[in-house]
Amino acid sequence: MKAGYDYIICGGGSAGCVLAARLAEDSSTKVCLIEAGGHGRNLFIRMPAGNGFVFGNPALDWGYRTVPQSGLSGRRIYYPRGKALGGSSILNGMIYMRGVPADYDRWRQRGLEGWGYADLLPYFRRSEGARDRRDGWHGTDGPLKTEPAANFDVLDQAFVEAAVAAGHRRLDDFNGPERTGVARNDSTVHRGVRQSSAIAYLRKPPANLTVLTGHHVAQVMFKGARAVGVKTVGGDEFIAEQEVILCQGAFGTPQMLMLSGIGPAEHLRAHGIKVIADVPGVGENLSDHPDVPIQYGSDRMDLSLARFQRLDKAAALMANWLLFKRGPGGGAFFSAVLFHALDDPALPEFEVFMTPMIVDENLTSGAQEPTPLLQRLGRKLLVRGRKVARPGVQVDINLQRPRSAGTVKLASGDPLDHPVIDPNYFAEPRDLDELRQGAEAMREVMAQPQIAKYLTGALAPWRDVRSKTETEQAIRQTAYTGHHPCSTARMGGDRDAGAVLDNQMRVRGVEGLRVCDAAAMPTQITGNPNATVIAMAEKCADMVLGRPPLPAEYPDKETAT
């Protein structure tokens, strides 16, 4: 089968859905969005508390795994990535968090004109539909609805008060003029429903937008050095009269580029792939936020989200959500966040997530814990893991701008084989040292009476940690992914030898091909990437259609509140 379109978008993730919706606003164009997974409107995708039914589910999660990490005592790490329209926004923590202004200004300073904070802020605002924010930093009419985290409760408030007691600043809005401090975070949830990019942007696809699910793209087709379409695993061909745009994420996009003949020439030839363009930066510069969880026990099941994993309470939670879209089922389990800076408050080194229960997300470690009868259904609510959630508090310390860089390589020339992923955690010793300082700062917060009165103490391996060496050993034993991989096909200036894309997101060395997703991010950012990827897609749509960019803006701190 052959079908022709003006634009073909490969991958219906956070960027792909946005780009498809915006390109199709031009009624004279024919747009095709191709997604390997399903429609992304599963009940447990829509219900924020249903994350455990998505995470680790092979029908909805690509389930990538890293190679053994020498910096993590040889452990392999599980990388969940969404497999449906909405991409990883179907299983993320629903935290609405941008980077800090300095992140994007650094992009501009690296030769990417038009990518500074003032350039991106209009696109953040265009995308956002904030329920309770009315100032110069936020949008109120955009498709991506946001609201304060719904499950902010006793333990969340206690964490905030403990952080303030330990010297941290109380904030109201992380996406306003200040970042370093502690606050209730905003969520991508609206009236009790998760706002994946598919739910937010593709509620009613127009007639000129064709959305194909269950189609796994095998390669981009070229005529000479120009992309002319794509071929699927099933052999179908789709022709692009104007452009092909890859939106397959930090792992899928570099894999697709290499399968199509764009990447390090020697690596491609080793897998029998014809080289279209020798672009050494493809698959390089993988950056992630390493996450160190510290767990504290508690005997207060009544205050823990883990209580909803009991069958009767799980049933009540689901019924309340199904009937009214209310209650704990209608909110994310992350409600309180802390940003901690070692030196410069404008560039905090750590983002800390507080969870009012104890969980173990790494599906590559340990055996499945036997499940009590009353928890066999409930254990999949909120989070899915090898162990049942327990009462307590977990603080996840994410290092925001790590220096260690990893790679994504081909395992073979078969598009159905997962790529070889090596985040290379702690290859740079300073990353480990900074995380040690972050862990020490958070242990000070958790020792404050405002939160300590609810806890029975730190759990192994943190229980008896005292020295610098013991702290670093505990980090290596527990560190995990922060779920924020990026920069594997990054944008860069003309003098940047490692850049895969120019400042228009066009792939260097070929024509008619762009990348728009987290892989395109020039560097890691200080915060969760989803809001940034969506803003990038908003901006990319204007580039593709030849529209002038939205005028740059920067709110005055005194008048915009």
Side-chain angles (χ1 to χ4, degrees), residues 122-156:
Y123 292 101
F124 281 118
R125 295 186 63 199
R126 185 165 82 176
S127 67
E128 186 186 11
R131 190 188 75 185
D132 298 343
R133 306 289 185 190
R134 297 290 186 275
D135 57 42
W137 282 277
H138 293 277
T140 58
D141 300 321
L144 183 68
K145 307 303 180 185
T146 66
E147 60 186 43
N151 281 328
F152 189 84
D153 208 344
V154 173
L155 291 177
D156 306 275

PDB file of all heavy atoms in Angstrom, residues 122-156:
ATOM      1  N   PRO A 122       6.710  32.159  25.034  1.00  0.00           N
ATOM      2  CA  PRO A 122       5.417  32.261  24.346  1.00  0.00           C
ATOM      3  C   PRO A 122       4.847  30.901  23.950  1.00  0.00           C
ATOM      4  O   PRO A 122       3.621  30.741  23.886  1.00  0.00           O
ATOM      5  CB  PRO A 122       5.743  33.105  23.107  1.00  0.00           C
ATOM      6  CG  PRO A 122       6.997  33.824  23.444  1.00  0.00           C
ATOM      7  CD  PRO A 122       7.764  32.926  24.345  1.00  0.00           C
ATOM      8  N   TYR A 123       5.728  29.934  23.680  1.00  0.00           N
ATOM      9  CA  TYR A 123       5.248  28.604  23.306  1.00  0.00           C
ATOM     10  C   TYR A 123       4.825  27.792  24.524  1.00  0.00           C
ATOM     11  O   TYR A 123       3.886  26.986  24.445  1.00  0.00           O
ATOM     12  CB  TYR A 123       6.314  27.881  22.486  1.00  0.00           C
ATOM     13  CG  TYR A 123       6.503  28.527  21.134  1.00  0.00           C
ATOM     14  CD1 TYR A 123       7.569  29.392  20.886  1.00  0.00           C
ATOM     15  CD2 TYR A 123       5.583  28.311  20.115  1.00  0.00           C
ATOM     16  CE1 TYR A 123       7.719  30.011  19.659  1.00  0.00           C
ATOM     17  CE2 TYR A 123       5.726  28.923  18.878  1.00  0.00           C
ATOM     18  CZ  TYR A 123       6.785  29.772  18.654  1.00  0.00           C
ATOM     19  OH  TYR A 123       6.921  30.390  17.429  1.00  0.00           O
ATOM     20  N   PHE A 124       5.491  27.998  25.666  1.00  0.00           N
ATOM     21  CA  PHE A 124       4.989  27.409  26.910  1.00  0.00           C
ATOM     22  C   PHE A 124       3.585  27.940  27.188  1.00  0.00           C
ATOM     23  O   PHE A 124       2.672  27.186  27.553  1.00  0.00           O
ATOM     24  CB  PHE A 124       5.908  27.761  28.087  1.00  0.00           C
ATOM     25  CG  PHE A 124       7.156  26.940  28.170  1.00  0.00           C
ATOM     26  CD1 PHE A 124       8.410  27.549  28.059  1.00  0.00           C
ATOM     27  CD2 PHE A 124       7.111  25.570  28.382  1.00  0.00           C
ATOM     28  CE1 PHE A 124       9.573  26.796  28.154  1.00  0.00           C
ATOM     29  CE2 PHE A 124       8.268  24.817  28.481  1.00  0.00           C
ATOM     30  CZ  PHE A 124       9.502  25.435  28.365  1.00  0.00           C
ATOM     31  N   ARG A 125       3.423  29.238  27.010  1.00  0.00           N
ATOM     32  CA  ARG A 125       2.129  29.856  27.309  1.00  0.00           C
ATOM     33  C   ARG A 125       1.066  29.412  26.300  1.00  0.00           C
ATOM     34  O   ARG A 125      -0.102  29.207  26.670  1.00  0.00           O
ATOM     35  CB  ARG A 125       2.267  31.377  27.316  1.00  0.00           C
ATOM     36  CG  ARG A 125       3.179  31.899  28.423  1.00  0.00           C
ATOM     37  CD  ARG A 125       3.178  33.411  28.494  1.00  0.00           C
ATOM     38  NE  ARG A 125       1.844  33.899  28.827  1.00  0.00           N
ATOM     39  CZ  ARG A 125       1.425  35.145  28.617  1.00  0.00           C
ATOM     40  NH1 ARG A 125       2.228  36.027  28.034  1.00  0.00           N
ATOM     41  NH2 ARG A 125       0.213  35.508  28.963  1.00  0.00           N
ATOM     42  N   ARG A 126       1.455  29.287  25.028  1.00  0.00           N
ATOM     43  CA  ARG A 126       0.459  28.861  24.023  1.00  0.00           C
ATOM     44  C   ARG A 126      -0.043  27.451  24.287  1.00  0.00           C
ATOM     45  O   ARG A 126      -1.211  27.129  24.044  1.00  0.00           O
ATOM     46  CB  ARG A 126       1.056  28.943  22.612  1.00  0.00           C
ATOM     47  CG  ARG A 126       0.025  28.634  21.535  1.00  0.00           C
ATOM     48  CD  ARG A 126       0.488  29.063  20.154  1.00  0.00           C
ATOM     49  NE  ARG A 126       1.370  28.090  19.528  1.00  0.00           N
ATOM     50  CZ  ARG A 126       1.840  28.216  18.286  1.00  0.00           C
ATOM     51  NH1 ARG A 126       1.542  29.294  17.571  1.00  0.00           N
ATOM     52  NH2 ARG A 126       2.631  27.300  17.782  1.00  0.00           N
ATOM     53  N   SER A 127       0.844  26.605  24.805  1.00  0.00           N
ATOM     54  CA  SER A 127       0.466  25.209  25.037  1.00  0.00           C
ATOM     55  C   SER A 127      -0.345  25.016  26.308  1.00  0.00           C
ATOM     56  O   SER A 127      -1.128  24.065  26.412  1.00  0.00           O
ATOM     57  CB  SER A 127       1.715  24.331  25.099  1.00  0.00           C
ATOM     58  OG  SER A 127       2.509  24.637  26.240  1.00  0.00           O
ATOM     59  N   GLU A 128      -0.182  25.908  27.298  1.00  0.00           N
ATOM     60  CA  GLU A 128      -0.724  25.652  28.635  1.00  0.00           C
ATOM     61  C   GLU A 128      -2.122  26.221  28.842  1.00  0.00           C
ATOM     62  O   GLU A 128      -2.430  27.336  28.416  1.00  0.00           O
ATOM     63  CB  GLU A 128       0.212  26.257  29.697  1.00  0.00           C
ATOM     64  CG  GLU A 128      -0.194  25.909  31.128  1.00  0.00           C
ATOM     65  CD  GLU A 128       0.637  26.626  32.176  1.00  0.00           C
ATOM     66  OE1 GLU A 128       1.394  27.558  31.811  1.00  0.00           O
ATOM     67  OE2 GLU A 128       0.519  26.277  33.364  1.00  0.00           O
ATOM     68  N   GLY A 129      -2.937  25.423  29.525  1.00  0.00           N
ATOM     69  CA  GLY A 129      -4.255  25.882  29.963  1.00  0.00           C
ATOM     70  C   GLY A 129      -4.329  25.771  31.471  1.00  0.00           C
ATOM     71  O   GLY A 129      -4.930  24.838  32.005  1.00  0.00           O
ATOM     72  N   ALA A 130      -3.701  26.704  32.177  1.00  0.00           N
ATOM     73  CA  ALA A 130      -3.627  26.650  33.636  1.00  0.00           C
ATOM     74  C   ALA A 130      -4.973  27.002  34.257  1.00  0.00           C
ATOM     75  O   ALA A 130      -5.610  27.985  33.869  1.00  0.00           O
ATOM     76  CB  ALA A 130      -2.550  27.606  34.145  1.00  0.00           C
ATOM     77  N   ARG A 131      -5.370  26.218  35.233  1.00  0.00           N
ATOM     78  CA  ARG A 131      -6.636  26.479  35.911  1.00  0.00           C
ATOM     79  C   ARG A 131      -6.546  27.661  36.872  1.00  0.00           C
ATOM     80  O   ARG A 131      -7.481  28.464  36.969  1.00  0.00           O
ATOM     81  CB  ARG A 131      -7.066  25.226  36.687  1.00  0.00           C
ATOM     82  CG  ARG A 131      -8.478  25.281  37.233  1.00  0.00           C
ATOM     83  CD  ARG A 131      -8.768  24.117  38.143  1.00  0.00           C
ATOM     84  NE  ARG A 131      -8.112  24.278  39.449  1.00  0.00           N
ATOM     85  CZ  ARG A 131      -8.120  23.351  40.413  1.00  0.00           C
ATOM     86  NH1 ARG A 131      -8.728  22.194  40.193  1.00  0.00           N
ATOM     87  NH2 ARG A 131      -7.517  23.568  41.563  1.00  0.00           N
ATOM     88  N   ASP A 132      -5.430  27.746  37.598  1.00  0.00           N
ATOM     89  CA  ASP A 132      -5.341  28.701  38.707  1.00  0.00           C
ATOM     90  C   ASP A 132      -4.230  29.733  38.556  1.00  0.00           C
ATOM     91  O   ASP A 132      -3.975  30.491  39.492  1.00  0.00           O
ATOM     92  CB  ASP A 132      -5.124  27.945  40.028  1.00  0.00           C
ATOM     93  CG  ASP A 132      -6.266  27.009  40.358  1.00  0.00           C
ATOM     94  OD1 ASP A 132      -7.349  27.170  39.771  1.00  0.00           O
ATOM     95  OD2 ASP A 132      -6.086  26.106  41.189  1.00  0.00           O
ATOM     96  N   ARG A 133      -3.536  29.760  37.433  1.00  0.00           N
ATOM     97  CA  ARG A 133      -2.450  30.723  37.240  1.00  0.00           C
ATOM     98  C   ARG A 133      -2.914  31.840  36.303  1.00  0.00           C
ATOM     99  O   ARG A 133      -3.431  31.558  35.217  1.00  0.00           O
ATOM    100  CB  ARG A 133      -1.223  30.030  36.646  1.00  0.00           C
ATOM    101  CG  ARG A 133      -0.731  28.815  37.428  1.00  0.00           C
ATOM    102  CD  ARG A 133      -0.091  29.201  38.732  1.00  0.00           C
ATOM    103  NE  ARG A 133       0.485  28.041  39.410  1.00  0.00           N
ATOM    104  CZ  ARG A 133       0.936  28.075  40.649  1.00  0.00           C
ATOM    105  NH1 ARG A 133       0.898  29.193  41.346  1.00  0.00           N
ATOM    106  NH2 ARG A 133       1.435  26.985  41.206  1.00  0.00           N
ATOM    107  N   ARG A 134      -2.704  33.063  36.743  1.00  0.00           N
ATOM    108  CA  ARG A 134      -3.105  34.218  35.921  1.00  0.00           C
ATOM    109  C   ARG A 134      -1.985  35.248  35.961  1.00  0.00           C
ATOM    110  O   ARG A 134      -2.074  36.264  36.651  1.00  0.00           O
ATOM    111  CB  ARG A 134      -4.405  34.831  36.458  1.00  0.00           C
ATOM    112  CG  ARG A 134      -5.624  33.923  36.411  1.00  0.00           C
ATOM    113  CD  ARG A 134      -6.093  33.685  34.977  1.00  0.00           C
ATOM    114  NE  ARG A 134      -7.339  32.936  34.918  1.00  0.00           N
ATOM    115  CZ  ARG A 134      -7.425  31.618  34.961  1.00  0.00           C
ATOM    116  NH1 ARG A 134      -6.320  30.902  35.093  1.00  0.00           N
ATOM    117  NH2 ARG A 134      -8.585  31.008  34.888  1.00  0.00           N
ATOM    118  N   ASP A 135      -0.904  34.982  35.227  1.00  0.00           N
ATOM    119  CA  ASP A 135       0.212  35.927  35.220  1.00  0.00           C
ATOM    120  C   ASP A 135       0.993  35.767  33.926  1.00  0.00           C
ATOM    121  O   ASP A 135       0.625  34.972  33.060  1.00  0.00           O
ATOM    122  CB  ASP A 135       1.111  35.728  36.447  1.00  0.00           C
ATOM    123  CG  ASP A 135       1.660  34.322  36.573  1.00  0.00           C
ATOM    124  OD1 ASP A 135       2.066  33.739  35.535  1.00  0.00           O
ATOM    125  OD2 ASP A 135       1.711  33.790  37.693  1.00  0.00           O
ATOM    126  N   GLY A 136       2.083  36.521  33.815  1.00  0.00           N
ATOM    127  CA  GLY A 136       2.849  36.546  32.575  1.00  0.00           C
ATOM    128  C   GLY A 136       3.639  35.296  32.279  1.00  0.00           C
ATOM    129  O   GLY A 136       4.178  35.159  31.175  1.00  0.00           O
ATOM    130  N   TRP A 137       3.734  34.377  33.235  1.00  0.00           N
ATOM    131  CA  TRP A 137       4.500  33.158  32.988  1.00  0.00           C
ATOM    132  C   TRP A 137       3.628  32.006  32.471  1.00  0.00           C
ATOM    133  O   TRP A 137       4.147  30.995  32.039  1.00  0.00           O
ATOM    134  CB  TRP A 137       5.202  32.712  34.275  1.00  0.00           C
ATOM    135  CG  TRP A 137       6.435  33.503  34.571  1.00  0.00           C
ATOM    136  CD1 TRP A 137       7.682  33.299  34.062  1.00  0.00           C
ATOM    137  CD2 TRP A 137       6.547  34.639  35.409  1.00  0.00           C
ATOM    138  NE1 TRP A 137       8.561  34.239  34.544  1.00  0.00           N
ATOM    139  CE2 TRP A 137       7.891  35.082  35.374  1.00  0.00           C
ATOM    140  CE3 TRP A 137       5.646  35.357  36.204  1.00  0.00           C
ATOM    141  CZ2 TRP A 137       8.346  36.176  36.095  1.00  0.00           C
ATOM    142  CZ3 TRP A 137       6.086  36.451  36.925  1.00  0.00           C
ATOM    143  CH2 TRP A 137       7.431  36.862  36.862  1.00  0.00           C
ATOM    144  N   HIS A 138       2.320  32.166  32.540  1.00  0.00           N
ATOM    145  CA  HIS A 138       1.437  31.034  32.255  1.00  0.00           C
ATOM    146  C   HIS A 138       0.417  31.352  31.173  1.00  0.00           C
ATOM    147  O   HIS A 138       0.046  32.516  30.965  1.00  0.00           O
ATOM    148  CB  HIS A 138       0.710  30.602  33.531  1.00  0.00           C
ATOM    149  CG  HIS A 138       1.617  30.012  34.557  1.00  0.00           C
ATOM    150  ND1 HIS A 138       2.007  28.696  34.535  1.00  0.00           N
ATOM    151  CD2 HIS A 138       2.248  30.579  35.613  1.00  0.00           C
ATOM    152  CE1 HIS A 138       2.826  28.474  35.549  1.00  0.00           C
ATOM    153  NE2 HIS A 138       2.990  29.592  36.215  1.00  0.00           N
ATOM    154  N   GLY A 139      -0.033  30.292  30.506  1.00  0.00           N
ATOM    155  CA  GLY A 139      -1.133  30.396  29.577  1.00  0.00           C
ATOM    156  C   GLY A 139      -2.384  29.810  30.204  1.00  0.00           C
ATOM    157  O   GLY A 139      -2.298  28.904  31.042  1.00  0.00           O
ATOM    158  N   THR A 140      -3.523  30.288  29.807  1.00  0.00           N
ATOM    159  CA  THR A 140      -4.782  29.803  30.376  1.00  0.00           C
ATOM    160  C   THR A 140      -5.694  29.137  29.353  1.00  0.00           C
ATOM    161  O   THR A 140      -6.664  28.483  29.738  1.00  0.00           O
ATOM    162  CB  THR A 140      -5.550  30.971  31.029  1.00  0.00           C
ATOM    163  OG1 THR A 140      -5.790  31.985  30.043  1.00  0.00           O
ATOM    164  CG2 THR A 140      -4.740  31.565  32.179  1.00  0.00           C
ATOM    165  N   ASP A 141      -5.387  29.283  28.078  1.00  0.00           N
ATOM    166  CA  ASP A 141      -6.293  28.787  27.036  1.00  0.00           C
ATOM    167  C   ASP A 141      -5.711  27.647  26.206  1.00  0.00           C
ATOM    168  O   ASP A 141      -6.345  27.186  25.258  1.00  0.00           O
ATOM    169  CB  ASP A 141      -6.662  29.936  26.086  1.00  0.00           C
ATOM    170  CG  ASP A 141      -7.348  31.083  26.815  1.00  0.00           C
ATOM    171  OD1 ASP A 141      -8.156  30.796  27.711  1.00  0.00           O
ATOM    172  OD2 ASP A 141      -7.047  32.249  26.496  1.00  0.00           O
ATOM    173  N   GLY A 142      -4.500  27.196  26.534  1.00  0.00           N
ATOM    174  CA  GLY A 142      -3.865  26.159  25.735  1.00  0.00           C
ATOM    175  C   GLY A 142      -4.461  24.782  25.947  1.00  0.00           C
ATOM    176  O   GLY A 142      -5.202  24.540  26.911  1.00  0.00           O
ATOM    177  N   PRO A 143      -4.131  23.839  25.071  1.00  0.00           N
ATOM    178  CA  PRO A 143      -4.689  22.488  25.160  1.00  0.00           C
ATOM    179  C   PRO A 143      -4.223  21.689  26.379  1.00  0.00           C
ATOM    180  O   PRO A 143      -4.965  20.849  26.888  1.00  0.00           O
ATOM    181  CB  PRO A 143      -4.201  21.814  23.866  1.00  0.00           C
ATOM    182  CG  PRO A 143      -3.802  22.938  22.966  1.00  0.00           C
ATOM    183  CD  PRO A 143      -3.323  24.028  23.861  1.00  0.00           C
ATOM    184  N   LEU A 144      -2.990  21.937  26.840  1.00  0.00           N
ATOM    185  CA  LEU A 144      -2.436  21.154  27.944  1.00  0.00           C
ATOM    186  C   LEU A 144      -2.905  21.742  29.274  1.00  0.00           C
ATOM    187  O   LEU A 144      -2.364  22.734  29.762  1.00  0.00           O
ATOM    188  CB  LEU A 144      -0.906  21.138  27.873  1.00  0.00           C
ATOM    189  CG  LEU A 144      -0.208  20.281  28.933  1.00  0.00           C
ATOM    190  CD1 LEU A 144      -0.488  18.803  28.698  1.00  0.00           C
ATOM    191  CD2 LEU A 144       1.299  20.546  28.938  1.00  0.00           C
ATOM    192  N   LYS A 145      -3.912  21.132  29.861  1.00  0.00           N
ATOM    193  CA  LYS A 145      -4.505  21.668  31.076  1.00  0.00           C
ATOM    194  C   LYS A 145      -3.637  21.322  32.288  1.00  0.00           C
ATOM    195  O   LYS A 145      -3.124  20.208  32.400  1.00  0.00           O
ATOM    196  CB  LYS A 145      -5.915  21.117  31.285  1.00  0.00           C
ATOM    197  CG  LYS A 145      -6.835  21.306  30.086  1.00  0.00           C
ATOM    198  CD  LYS A 145      -6.967  22.771  29.680  1.00  0.00           C
ATOM    199  CE  LYS A 145      -7.898  22.953  28.486  1.00  0.00           C
ATOM    200  NZ  LYS A 145      -7.935  24.354  28.009  1.00  0.00           N
ATOM    201  N   THR A 146      -3.495  22.298  33.183  1.00  0.00           N
ATOM    202  CA  THR A 146      -2.703  22.095  34.401  1.00  0.00           C
ATOM    203  C   THR A 146      -3.476  22.619  35.606  1.00  0.00           C
ATOM    204  O   THR A 146      -4.308  23.529  35.485  1.00  0.00           O
ATOM    205  CB  THR A 146      -1.348  22.803  34.323  1.00  0.00           C
ATOM    206  OG1 THR A 146      -1.541  24.220  34.302  1.00  0.00           O
ATOM    207  CG2 THR A 146      -0.565  22.368  33.090  1.00  0.00           C
ATOM    208  N   GLU A 147      -3.163  22.024  36.760  1.00  0.00           N
ATOM    209  CA  GLU A 147      -3.789  22.438  38.016  1.00  0.00           C
ATOM    210  C   GLU A 147      -2.900  22.000  39.172  1.00  0.00           C
ATOM    211  O   GLU A 147      -2.035  21.138  39.002  1.00  0.00           O
ATOM    212  CB  GLU A 147      -5.183  21.827  38.159  1.00  0.00           C
ATOM    213  CG  GLU A 147      -5.191  20.315  38.166  1.00  0.00           C
ATOM    214  CD  GLU A 147      -6.596  19.718  38.153  1.00  0.00           C
ATOM    215  OE1 GLU A 147      -7.466  20.204  37.396  1.00  0.00           O
ATOM    216  OE2 GLU A 147      -6.821  18.747  38.901  1.00  0.00           O
ATOM    217  N   PRO A 148      -3.088  22.563  40.365  1.00  0.00           N
ATOM    218  CA  PRO A 148      -2.291  22.125  41.503  1.00  0.00           C
ATOM    219  C   PRO A 148      -2.512  20.634  41.779  1.00  0.00           C
ATOM    220  O   PRO A 148      -3.625  20.122  41.626  1.00  0.00           O
ATOM    221  CB  PRO A 148      -2.822  22.988  42.654  1.00  0.00           C
ATOM    222  CG  PRO A 148      -3.394  24.199  41.991  1.00  0.00           C
ATOM    223  CD  PRO A 148      -3.965  23.707  40.691  1.00  0.00           C
ATOM    224  N   ALA A 149      -1.435  19.953  42.184  1.00  0.00           N
ATOM    225  CA  ALA A 149      -1.511  18.511  42.435  1.00  0.00           C
ATOM    226  C   ALA A 149      -2.636  18.201  43.416  1.00  0.00           C
ATOM    227  O   ALA A 149      -2.731  18.796  44.494  1.00  0.00           O
ATOM    228  CB  ALA A 149      -0.175  18.013  42.963  1.00  0.00           C
ATOM    229  N   ALA A 150      -3.492  17.252  43.048  1.00  0.00           N
ATOM    230  CA  ALA A 150      -4.735  17.014  43.789  1.00  0.00           C
ATOM    231  C   ALA A 150      -4.538  16.248  45.092  1.00  0.00           C
ATOM    232  O   ALA A 150      -5.338  16.384  46.017  1.00  0.00           O
ATOM    233  CB  ALA A 150      -5.721  16.259  42.897  1.00  0.00           C
ATOM    234  N   ASN A 151      -3.492  15.422  45.178  1.00  0.00           N
ATOM    235  CA  ASN A 151      -3.324  14.555  46.346  1.00  0.00           C
ATOM    236  C   ASN A 151      -2.400  15.149  47.406  1.00  0.00           C
ATOM    237  O   ASN A 151      -1.759  14.417  48.156  1.00  0.00           O
ATOM    238  CB  ASN A 151      -2.813  13.178  45.905  1.00  0.00           C
ATOM    239  CG  ASN A 151      -3.931  12.320  45.336  1.00  0.00           C
ATOM    240  OD1 ASN A 151      -5.080  12.423  45.749  1.00  0.00           O
ATOM    241  ND2 ASN A 151      -3.597  11.490  44.352  1.00  0.00           N
ATOM    242  N   PHE A 152      -2.342  16.459  47.473  1.00  0.00           N
ATOM    243  CA  PHE A 152      -1.531  17.140  48.485  1.00  0.00           C
ATOM    244  C   PHE A 152      -2.221  16.965  49.835  1.00  0.00           C
ATOM    245  O   PHE A 152      -3.295  17.490  50.075  1.00  0.00           O
ATOM    246  CB  PHE A 152      -1.391  18.613  48.124  1.00  0.00           C
ATOM    247  CG  PHE A 152      -0.405  19.363  48.968  1.00  0.00           C
ATOM    248  CD1 PHE A 152       0.949  19.331  48.661  1.00  0.00           C
ATOM    249  CD2 PHE A 152      -0.815  20.096  50.070  1.00  0.00           C
ATOM    250  CE1 PHE A 152       1.873  20.031  49.428  1.00  0.00           C
ATOM    251  CE2 PHE A 152       0.091  20.802  50.839  1.00  0.00           C
ATOM    252  CZ  PHE A 152       1.445  20.774  50.526  1.00  0.00           C
ATOM    253  N   ASP A 153      -1.578  16.209  50.742  1.00  0.00           N
ATOM    254  CA  ASP A 153      -2.243  15.804  51.980  1.00  0.00           C
ATOM    255  C   ASP A 153      -1.305  16.017  53.171  1.00  0.00           C
ATOM    256  O   ASP A 153      -0.321  16.753  53.081  1.00  0.00           O
ATOM    257  CB  ASP A 153      -2.692  14.346  51.861  1.00  0.00           C
ATOM    258  CG  ASP A 153      -3.910  14.034  52.718  1.00  0.00           C
ATOM    259  OD1 ASP A 153      -4.232  14.823  53.618  1.00  0.00           O
ATOM    260  OD2 ASP A 153      -4.531  12.979  52.489  1.00  0.00           O
ATOM    261  N   VAL A 154      -1.559  15.312  54.261  1.00  0.00           N
ATOM    262  CA  VAL A 154      -0.858  15.543  55.524  1.00  0.00           C
ATOM    263  C   VAL A 154       0.646  15.368  55.397  1.00  0.00           C
ATOM    264  O   VAL A 154       1.435  16.223  55.834  1.00  0.00           O
ATOM    265  CB  VAL A 154      -1.412  14.603  56.621  1.00  0.00           C
ATOM    266  CG1 VAL A 154      -0.574  14.721  57.900  1.00  0.00           C
ATOM    267  CG2 VAL A 154      -2.869  14.927  56.908  1.00  0.00           C
ATOM    268  N   LEU A 155       1.098  14.267  54.773  1.00  0.00           N
ATOM    269  CA  LEU A 155       2.531  14.020  54.661  1.00  0.00           C
ATOM    270  C   LEU A 155       3.197  14.988  53.693  1.00  0.00           C
ATOM    271  O   LEU A 155       4.354  15.380  53.902  1.00  0.00           O
ATOM    272  CB  LEU A 155       2.796  12.574  54.246  1.00  0.00           C
ATOM    273  CG  LEU A 155       2.469  11.510  55.293  1.00  0.00           C
ATOM    274  CD1 LEU A 155       2.714  10.108  54.746  1.00  0.00           C
ATOM    275  CD2 LEU A 155       3.285  11.722  56.570  1.00  0.00           C
ATOM    276  N   ASP A 156       2.496  15.383  52.660  1.00  0.00           N
ATOM    277  CA  ASP A 156       3.045  16.373  51.732  1.00  0.00           C
ATOM    278  C   ASP A 156       3.246  17.710  52.441  1.00  0.00           C
ATOM    279  O   ASP A 156       4.293  18.354  52.299  1.00  0.00           O
ATOM    280  CB  ASP A 156       2.103  16.560  50.532  1.00  0.00           C
ATOM    281  CG  ASP A 156       1.789  15.252  49.840  1.00  0.00           C
ATOM    282  OD1 ASP A 156       2.568  14.836  48.985  1.00  0.00           O
ATOM    283  OD2 ASP A 156       0.758  14.650  50.179  1.00  0.00           O
TER     284      ASP A 156
END
